[in-house]
């Protein structure tokens, strides 16, 4: 939800890589798949079965490179497809995967290629795969014929990337499927695949791809075991904490609810966070030690919410849903139709406890609100990534528990920010005790007053460092819009009030209106029949930049 603005510094990355190489020299004897010099400072890693072509990546690039650098390596798109398709087809909780579950996972794993809509008449989702000119449609409870089209879509996807590799593993899956029927195993392989064979095909292909990372690994007792030489277990606790500390993240980027704190105990780095694998290490074992794949997060998001589930979401180092997810307090469905602030302050107003009873805190994907006919392909792709993120981390469900904090923001607005004279008074107080604006070194700005009152901070990454800061900021900004649109803040309705005030109070009142600074100064100068310079001097005394 919140973008990670910092990158792990080069010195920490280099130190991490050197520690991995040192550990390899002490523990790993021989990788199974390729003859490499494990004692070298760098070597090539084969990451796909060699049928007609060898696919390799530099170990150093794999461990220290950015996501973009790694994904541009030849064959990496095929590796990603194999891992994602394996996830779509693997059994769930010991149960055999169904066609409907396969379709749902396919949709969440390939958001740029697969879309879906809800058919009200049949009460089913309808999935669309591929470009519009040659798309494949299939409902969530598919017929055999429809699902055969889905299988053909998956087949074509892999065939187009490496036909020889696909053909080789098609033979293996056919033989495995018919291992108890020798004559059928020797017969010509049919063009069409059944769902049962597809699952076997993807399982064998994934397992043999992962086996390329096998090696003999030295145990503490001096004996050896077979395991993966690219394995998160080879990363020490000390290195994990150093990597997280280097990012200077103060809050979980997934939920914006939990502090991430680094500290030193007994001369060792420690943190209160988990190191999440953006691409799960069980599904994408090649990236289990890659720096680009490490996302510091709270334990709730990493272990309890995400767990072993996979959905394609926004990558926090490159993007976030910060501007596309909004929190808003809304009345629950029923007789209450007004905005929650109107219910609180208008005729027949509700008490504070009553407001909480009739309200709910909603998490909104703003892209959904756009006119569908005007959405670009990028809009639709982004919309699905954000939906996946909201669902994967259960943001709607967990934020329902924070309605009290959200309503408290409204309470602070009512007590402090609605009264126009408060801004002037707080500036005077700050002036007397020597607090000046971070922005201009003189009087604190309206935004800084808002940050003080709401408990937000303006250091490090910014105000999003505080847990719930995104929610608090959204509730505040929405309330400011409500105030600005309220008739008592319209210029026409306050012009008569201005003459009853002094110049400074008139300025305070109009700063809550949509007027610009210049318009405020000109209007007051006109109404008070004084020079513009006089009004501007009063304005700059408290609000000048």
């Amino acid at each position: 939800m919140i973008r990670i603005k910092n990158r792990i510094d080069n010195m920490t990355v280099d130190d991490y890589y050197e520690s991995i190489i040192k550990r390899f020299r002490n523990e790993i004897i021989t990788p199974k798949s390729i003859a490499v010099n494990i004692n070298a400072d760098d070597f090539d890693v084969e990451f796909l079965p060699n049928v007609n072509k060898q696919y390799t990546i530099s170990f150093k690039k794999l461990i220290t490179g950015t996501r973009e650098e790694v994904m541009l390596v030849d064959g990496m798109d095929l590796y990603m497809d194999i891992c994602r398709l394996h996830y779509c087809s693997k059994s769930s909780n010991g149960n055999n995967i169904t066609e409907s579950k396969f379709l749902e996972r396919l949709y969440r794993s390939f958001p740029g290629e697969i879309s879906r809509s809800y058919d009200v008449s049949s009460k089913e989702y309808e999935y669309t795969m591929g470009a519009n000119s040659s798309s494949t449609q299939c409902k969530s409870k598919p017929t055999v014929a429809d699902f055969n089209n889905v299988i053909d879509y998956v087949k074509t996807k892999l065939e187009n990337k490496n036909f020889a590799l696909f053909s080789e593993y098609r033979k293996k899956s056919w033989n495995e499927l018919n291992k108890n029927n020798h004559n059928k195993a020797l017969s010509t392989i049919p063009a069409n695949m059944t769902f049962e064979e597809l699952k076997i095909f993807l399982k064998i292909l994934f397992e043999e791809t992962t086996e390329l990372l096998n090696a003999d690994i030295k145990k503490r007792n001096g004996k050896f075991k077979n395991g993966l030489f690219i394995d998160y277990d080879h990363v020490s606790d000390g290195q994990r904490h150093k990597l997280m500390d280097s990012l200077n993240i103060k809050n979980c980027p997934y939920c914006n609810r939990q502090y991430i704190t680094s500290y030193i105990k007994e001369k060792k780095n420690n943190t209160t966070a988990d190191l999440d694998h953006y691409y799960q290490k069980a599904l994408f074992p090649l990236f289990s030690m890659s720096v680009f794949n490490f996302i510091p997060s709270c334990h709730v998001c990493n272990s309890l919410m995400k767990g072993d589930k996979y959905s394609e979401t926004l990558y926090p180092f490159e993007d976030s849903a910060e501007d596309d997810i909004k929190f808003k307090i809304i009345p629950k469905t029923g007789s209450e139709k007004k905005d929650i602030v109107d219910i609180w302050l208008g005729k027949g107003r509700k008490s504070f406890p009553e407001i909480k009873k009739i309200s709910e805190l909603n998490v909104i994907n703003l892209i959904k609100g756009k006119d569908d006919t005007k959405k670009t392909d990028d809009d639709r792709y982004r919309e699905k990534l954000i939906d996946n993120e909201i669902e994967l981390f259960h943001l709607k469900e967990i934020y329902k528990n924070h309605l009290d904090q959200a309503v408290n923001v409204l309470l602070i607005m009512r007590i402090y920010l609605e009264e126009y004279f408060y801004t002037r008074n707080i500036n005077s107080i700050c002036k007397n005790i020597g607090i000046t604006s971070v922005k201009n070194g003189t009087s604190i700005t309206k935004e800084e007053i808002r940050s003080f009152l709401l408990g937000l901070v303006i250091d490090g990454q910014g105000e999003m460092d505080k847990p719930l800061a995104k929610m608090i900021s959204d509730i505040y900004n929405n309330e400011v819009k409500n105030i600005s649109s309220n008739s008592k803040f319209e210029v026409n309705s306050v012009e008569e009030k201005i003459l009853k005030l002094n110049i400074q109070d008139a300025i305070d009142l109009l700063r809550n209106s949509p007027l610009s600074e210049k318009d405020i100064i000109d209007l007051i100068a006109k109404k008070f029949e004084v020079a513009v310079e006089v009004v501007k001097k009063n304005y700059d005394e408290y609000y000048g930049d």
Side-chain angles (χ1 to χ4, degrees):
M1 183 164 61
I2 306 299
R3 183 168 182 172
I4 300 174
K5 296 182 180 179
N6 301 324
R7 293 277 182 169
I8 298 174
D9 64 82
N10 292 334
M11 185 178 296
T12 303
V13 171
D14 290 343
D15 181 61
Y16 169 66
Y17 183 73
E18 288 177 12
S19 73
I20 296 299
I21 289 295
K22 182 179 179 180
R23 191 159 187 173
F24 274 21
R25 289 168 181 164
N26 293 334
E27 296 181 4
I28 296 174
I29 305 303
T30 308
K32 299 291 186 181
S33 60
I34 46 177
V36 298
N37 180 8
I38 205 74
N39 293 314
D41 290 337
D42 194 10
F43 51 88
D44 286 338
V45 176
E46 189 173 23
F47 61 89
L48 285 175
N50 185 353
V51 175
N52 67 336
K53 182 178 181 180
Q54 189 178 50
Y55 296 97
T56 63
I57 181 173
S58 152
F59 182 68
K60 188 167 187 177
K61 178 181 285 188
L62 175 64
I63 301 303
T64 66
T66 65
R67 184 174 78 148
E68 182 180 16
E69 290 170 341
V70 171
M71 293 304 163
L72 287 174
V73 171
D74 185 31
M76 197 58 71
D77 57 339
L78 177 56
Y79 176 81
M80 297 297 291
D81 283 352
I82 290 170
C83 295
R84 287 174 175 138
L85 288 169
H86 167 67
Y87 168 71
C88 294
S89 64
K90 75 186 187 79
S91 62
S92 177
N93 299 322
N95 299 319
N96 198 21
I97 195 78
T98 63
E99 288 88 344
S100 295
K101 192 67 176 177
F102 180 84
L103 281 167
E104 181 189 340
R105 288 183 176 181
L106 204 64
Y107 167 74
R108 299 193 183 285
S109 300
F110 296 92
E113 301 176 28
I114 301 170
S115 60
R116 75 177 182 184
S117 58
Y118 188 70
D119 186 342
V120 178
S121 59
S122 65
K123 297 182 179 179
E124 290 185 58
Y125 283 111
E126 185 170 278
Y127 295 88
T128 301
M129 283 146 273
N132 292 332
S133 58
S134 58
S135 61
T136 296
Q137 275 84 31
C138 183
K139 292 192 174 180
S140 53
K141 296 178 182 177
T143 64
V144 173
D146 282 346
F147 199 73
N148 283 339
N149 292 332
V150 176
I151 294 174
D152 286 341
Y153 172 80
V154 173
K155 278 178 53 185
T156 303
K157 184 178 182 62
L158 295 174
E159 284 177 331
N160 289 343
K161 290 185 176 176
N162 190 319
F163 183 79
L165 180 68
F166 174 84
S167 299
E168 177 69 20
Y169 279 84
R170 180 74 203 278
K171 293 175 187 175
K172 292 187 177 187
S173 64
W174 178 253
N175 290 336
E176 177 64 23
L177 181 66
N178 299 290
K179 62 184 178 182
N180 296 323
N181 189 334
H182 182 68
N183 290 332
K184 192 171 183 180
L186 294 175
S187 64
T188 303
I189 300 175
N192 296 327
M193 290 178 81
T194 63
F195 186 38
E196 192 62 31
E197 186 192 347
L198 177 65
K199 289 186 284 187
I200 294 172
F201 171 88
L202 294 172
K203 181 175 183 291
I204 294 173
L205 180 54
F206 175 79
E207 288 178 349
E208 294 197 8
T209 297
T210 303
E211 284 173 8
L212 294 171
L213 308 180
N214 277 357
D216 286 331
I217 299 172
K218 188 177 181 180
K219 298 170 70 174
R220 290 184 178 179
N221 59 10
K223 295 182 179 180
F224 297 95
K225 68 173 182 177
N226 182 256
L228 302 181
F229 71 88
I230 295 180
D231 194 313
Y232 188 56
D233 288 344
H234 299 315
V235 181
S236 69
D237 287 341
Q239 285 298 331
R240 280 192 276 263
H241 296 311
K242 283 182 182 178
L243 291 170
M244 286 189 276
D245 189 46
S246 173
L247 284 168
N248 193 31
I249 293 177
K250 299 181 181 179
N251 198 2
C252 176
Y254 290 140
C255 69
N256 192 232
R257 295 170 62 245
Q258 304 280 352
Y259 275 120
I260 289 177
T261 306
S262 297
Y263 63 98
I264 297 175
K265 183 178 180 180
E266 297 176 356
K267 298 182 179 180
K268 292 182 179 180
N269 293 74
N270 292 273
T271 63
T272 59
D274 286 356
L275 200 54
D276 172 53
H277 286 74
Y278 176 76
Y279 296 112
Q280 290 177 306
K281 56 184 181 291
L283 298 176
F284 304 88
L286 186 66
F287 308 139
S288 61
M289 297 166 64
S290 299
V291 168
F292 81 82
N293 200 31
F294 296 155
I295 310 291
S297 69
C298 69
H299 179 73
V300 173
C301 285
N302 181 38
S303 300
L304 302 181
M305 298 302 183
K306 185 176 180 181
D308 62 355
K309 297 182 291 294
Y310 174 72
S311 287
E312 195 78 0
T313 60
L314 294 171
Y315 179 55
F317 282 113
E318 296 173 354
D319 201 356
S320 77
E322 197 170 324
D323 294 329
D324 296 312
I325 288 179
K326 291 295 179 186
F327 293 90
K328 188 175 182 181
I329 302 175
I330 60 174
K332 292 179 180 177
T333 55
S335 59
E336 303 287 3
K337 300 295 184 183
K338 298 177 181 178
D339 184 275
I340 200 69
V341 180
D342 293 335
I343 297 171
W344 195 348
L345 301 174
K347 187 177 180 181
R349 65 182 63 183
K350 303 284 187 180
S351 68
F352 187 71
E354 287 175 317
I355 284 294
K356 291 191 289 185
K357 289 180 181 178
I358 65 170
S359 308
E360 62 184 5
L361 182 62
N362 203 7
V363 182
I364 303 168
N365 182 348
L366 294 181
I367 301 178
K368 283 184 174 296
K370 289 186 178 180
D371 184 344
D372 199 57
T373 61
K374 296 180 181 179
K375 288 179 185 176
T376 65
D377 288 342
D378 286 343
D379 286 336
R380 293 186 179 89
Y381 176 60
R382 187 175 181 81
E383 179 183 341
K384 284 190 285 184
L385 292 180
I386 293 170
D387 276 345
N388 284 351
E389 188 166 325
I390 290 172
E391 184 167 336
L392 184 64
F393 296 106
H394 301 276
L395 295 181
K396 286 189 175 182
E397 292 80 7
I398 61 174
Y399 266 93
K400 288 185 184 298
N401 297 303
H402 296 296
L403 178 62
D404 279 4
Q405 290 95 326
V407 174
N408 283 342
V409 175
L410 294 180
L411 182 62
I412 290 171
M413 297 284 286
R414 298 274 64 81
I415 293 174
Y416 297 110
L417 300 184
E418 184 184 8
E419 298 299 331
Y420 61 83
F421 61 81
Y422 185 79
T423 303
R424 179 185 178 185
N425 290 343
I426 198 170
N427 263 298
S428 299
I429 294 169
C430 288
K431 200 175 200 180
N432 290 336
I433 61 178
I435 296 178
T436 58
S437 171
V438 174
K439 180 180 178 182
N440 56 44
T442 57
S443 60
I444 64 173
T445 65
K446 197 172 186 180
E447 290 72 24
E448 288 169 331
I449 292 174
R450 161 240 189 184
S451 295
F452 295 155
L453 291 174
L454 299 180
L456 303 177
V457 293
I458 315 175
D459 71 326
Q461 273 186 252
E463 67 177 28
M464 292 304 147
D465 286 346
K466 177 184 172 66
L468 303 179
K470 167 66 175 161
M471 179 200 76
I472 292 170
S473 183
D474 285 353
I475 299 299
Y476 169 86
N477 289 328
N478 187 66
E479 176 65 349
V480 167
K481 289 180 182 178
N482 288 336
I483 291 174
S484 297
S485 63
N486 192 299
S487 61
K488 70 177 180 178
F489 291 101
E490 294 296 332
V491 176
N492 292 338
S493 66
V494 299
E495 284 189 351
E496 294 304 318
K497 295 180 181 179
I498 289 175
L499 293 176
K500 299 176 183 178
L501 306 173
N502 60 43
I503 289 178
Q504 190 58 57
D505 285 348
I507 292 172
D508 290 338
L509 176 62
L510 288 176
R511 272 175 57 86
N512 286 318
S513 77
L515 291 178
S516 67
E517 175 185 330
K518 182 179 183 304
D519 290 340
I520 291 173
I521 292 171
D522 289 345
L523 177 62
I524 292 176
K526 180 181 177 181
K527 289 292 181 181
F528 281 84
E529 297 180 352
V530 297
V532 168
E533 290 75 13
V534 173
V535 182
K536 190 172 190 314
K537 182 180 178 181
N538 276 269
Y539 192 101
D540 289 343
E541 182 179 353
Y542 292 103
Y543 306 115
D545 290 331

